[in-house]
């Protein structure tokens, strides 16, 4: 062996040479000027942005990477690949000002995002001088329902997709709620009562407000949508489009998707109005929500001379009522008593 007559340590910090992003897989690949330590890559040091300089923009298209997984397992590598969290991918797709094509795909990097084998910190890439991507992979997959929740208290369905949905195209009437995966062996109801999307912004999380008609019809079926065990969804490809105008994937009969959470309605109905019509000998009672027809016991109703307690007022039990009629059950819970 020959003895070295001199030694000079590595004093040149690594730099980011190029990067690429694949919108289909959600992977960000960064190539450096020399080997770095992937295991020491620091999240929250990389910003994805829609143009080279966003330093003076009031509302720039950008995303700070906070969640993801480094793919490389080797101690040293010229490349660091980060598989972004699904929520980050959805955020990117929701912002049309960034990462939709090569010309709006830029990246900035803080000093110390990663270090080389000598422990030297990577050079920063400033927000005002971001690096443009050398590769941009397009999104080629159609959107599909990942999970959903039913909230009876709010009368809402919350649906989570893996693509950003164009809410103007969403048609709740193309969806069917079933008690099992297969319609033929289940109780079912198609949402034909004009339920509507909450909000107008395109989103991957679609919230449907159930109309009174759909709410009542679902509630009338005792073995449907009462828990996670009897709540499944089927939907056609005509339910809606993503922001690239591609049909959402259908959920076919026999492959119904089970609900992930059902929130029960624990708030009892209240009387919102009571009208006594002595000329026609009728009392009309309106409730805050639809009630079951066979649950109303009119003989347990009492007329009082004022709003004080029964013990101190003149009362008359309705024990001689001739009949009960229900009206407007899909709009309001209204009961008319014929006295």
């Amino acid at each position: 062996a020959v003895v070295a007559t001199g030694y000079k340590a590595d004093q040149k910090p690594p730099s980011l040479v190029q990067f690429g992003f694949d919108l289909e897989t959600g992977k960000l690949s960064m190539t450096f000027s020399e080997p770095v330590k992937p295991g020491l890559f620091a999240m929250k040091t990389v910003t994805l942005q829609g143009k080279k300089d966003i330093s003076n923009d009031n509302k720039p298209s950008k995303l700070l990477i906070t969640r993801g997984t480094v793919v490389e397992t080797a101690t040293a590598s010229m490349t660091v690949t980060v598989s972004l969290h699904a929520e980050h991918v959805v955020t990117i797709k929701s912002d049309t000002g960034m990462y939709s094509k090569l010309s709006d795909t830029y990246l900035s990097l803080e000093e110390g995002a990663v270090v080389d084998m000598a422990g030297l910190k990577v050079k920063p890439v400033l927000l005002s001088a971001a690096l443009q991507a050398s590769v941009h992979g397009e999104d080629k997959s159609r959107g599909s329902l990942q999970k959903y929740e039913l909230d009876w208290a709010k009368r809402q369905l919350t649906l989570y997709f893996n693509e950003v949905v164009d809410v103007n195209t969403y048609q709740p009437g193309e969806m069917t709620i079933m008690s099992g995966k297969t319609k033929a062996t289940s109780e079912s109801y198609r949402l034909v009562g004009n339920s509507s999307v909450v909000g107008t912004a395109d989103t991957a999380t679609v919230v449907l407000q159930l109309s009174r008609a759909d709410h009542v019809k679902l509630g009338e079926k005792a073995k449907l949508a009462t828990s996670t065990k009897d709540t499944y969804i089927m939907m056609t490809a005509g339910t809606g489009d993503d922001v690239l105008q591609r049909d959402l994937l259908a959920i076919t009969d026999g492959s119904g998707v089970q609900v992930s959470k059902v929130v029960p309605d624990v708030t009892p109905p209240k009387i919102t109005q009571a009208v006594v019509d002595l000329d026609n000998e009728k009392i009309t009672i309106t409730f805050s929500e639809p009630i079951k027809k066979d649950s109303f016991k009119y003989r347990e109703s009492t007329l009082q001379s004022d709003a004080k307690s029964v013990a101190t007022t003149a009362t008359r039990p309705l024990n001689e009522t001739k009949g009960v009629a229900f009206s407007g059950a899909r709009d309001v819970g209204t009961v008319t008593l014929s006295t």
Side-chain angles (χ1 to χ4, degrees):
V2 178
V3 179
T5 57
Y7 172 78
K8 185 177 182 179
D10 180 8
Q11 297 179 345
K12 185 178 180 179
S15 59
L16 179 64
V17 177
Q18 64 180 23
F19 82 97
F21 183 75
D22 191 331
L23 200 55
E24 177 74 12
T25 63
K27 289 183 178 180
L28 173 69
S29 180
M30 297 168 285
T31 301
F32 297 90
S33 58
E34 60 180 286
V36 295
K37 298 179 178 180
L40 296 182
F41 177 79
M43 297 292 174
K44 300 183 181 181
T45 60
V46 175
T47 298
L48 311 183
Q49 53 194 74
K51 62 181 185 178
K52 186 173 183 177
D53 183 3
I54 61 170
S55 59
N56 296 317
D57 291 6
N58 291 326
K59 294 182 179 180
S61 293
K62 68 173 184 176
L63 174 65
L64 177 66
I65 301 301
T66 60
R67 304 172 69 183
T69 304
V70 175
V71 175
E72 285 81 9
T73 58
T75 303
S77 175
M78 297 287 289
T79 303
V80 174
T81 304
V82 179
S83 181
L84 302 187
H85 190 276
E87 291 182 2
H88 275 346
V89 177
V90 168
T91 299
I92 292 170
K93 293 178 180 180
S94 300
D95 190 338
T96 57
M98 61 180 287
Y99 281 60
S100 62
K101 51 188 177 297
L102 190 63
S103 61
D104 65 4
T105 303
Y106 289 81
L107 179 148
S108 55
L109 184 74
E110 294 181 18
E111 183 182 21
V114 72
V115 297
D116 67 8
M117 305 313 293
L120 298 175
K121 297 178 180 180
V122 67
K123 291 180 179 179
V125 178
L126 303 179
L127 291 172
S128 59
L131 180 67
Q132 186 177 8
S134 56
V135 177
H136 179 275
E138 295 182 354
D139 179 12
K140 301 176 182 178
S141 297
R142 290 165 57 191
S144 61
L145 181 65
Q146 303 299 292
K147 66 175 184 176
Y148 67 99
E149 301 170 357
L150 172 60
D151 190 327
W152 279 113
K154 295 180 179 178
R155 301 180 192 177
Q156 290 181 341
L157 268 172
T158 302
L159 306 114
Y160 301 89
F161 293 89
N162 62 347
E163 294 285 345
V164 180
V165 176
D166 179 350
V167 297
N168 290 323
T169 68
Y170 206 85
Q171 303 294 327
E174 296 296 317
M175 300 172 61
T176 300
I177 309 297
M178 306 181 296
S179 60
K181 289 186 176 183
T182 304
K183 187 176 180 181
T185 57
S186 305
E187 285 203 41
S188 64
Y189 173 71
R190 189 166 180 171
L191 298 179
V192 294
N194 294 320
S195 292
S196 58
V197 176
V198 177
T200 58
D202 295 338
T203 177
T205 302
V206 177
V207 179
L208 293 183
Q209 187 67 50
L210 295 176
S211 65
R212 284 192 179 272
D214 285 339
H215 175 248
V216 171
K217 281 298 183 181
L218 281 171
E220 286 177 348
K221 296 181 179 293
K223 297 180 180 179
L224 176 63
T226 64
S227 70
T228 56
K229 295 180 180 180
D230 61 7
T231 309
Y232 292 77
I233 271 186
M234 178 174 69
M235 56 188 279
T236 72
T239 301
D241 299 339
D242 65 15
V243 291
L244 297 178
Q245 304 308 309
R246 301 173 299 188
D247 289 344
L248 297 174
L249 287 174
I251 301 173
T252 57
D253 193 5
S255 302
V257 175
Q258 189 173 12
V259 73
S260 57
K261 182 180 180 181
V262 174
V263 179
D265 181 3
V266 296
T267 303
K270 298 179 181 179
I271 294 177
T272 59
Q273 186 181 43
V275 178
V276 179
D277 185 348
L278 295 179
D279 289 337
N280 295 302
E281 298 183 346
K282 292 182 178 181
I283 301 172
T284 301
I285 304 171
T286 301
F287 294 87
S288 58
E289 61 181 284
I291 61 174
K292 292 183 178 180
K293 295 181 179 181
D294 57 4
S295 71
F296 185 76
K297 298 177 175 59
Y298 62 86
R299 287 188 172 86
E300 295 184 12
S301 302
T302 302
L303 295 180
Q304 300 178 198
S305 59
D306 59 31
K308 297 180 181 179
S309 65
V310 175
T312 61
T313 60
T315 64
R316 178 196 170 191
L318 295 178
N319 54 7
E320 298 176 0
T321 301
K322 297 177 182 178
V324 180
F326 287 77
S327 64
R330 292 193 181 189
D331 299 315
V332 291
T334 301
V335 182
T336 301
L337 306 179
S338 300
T339 59

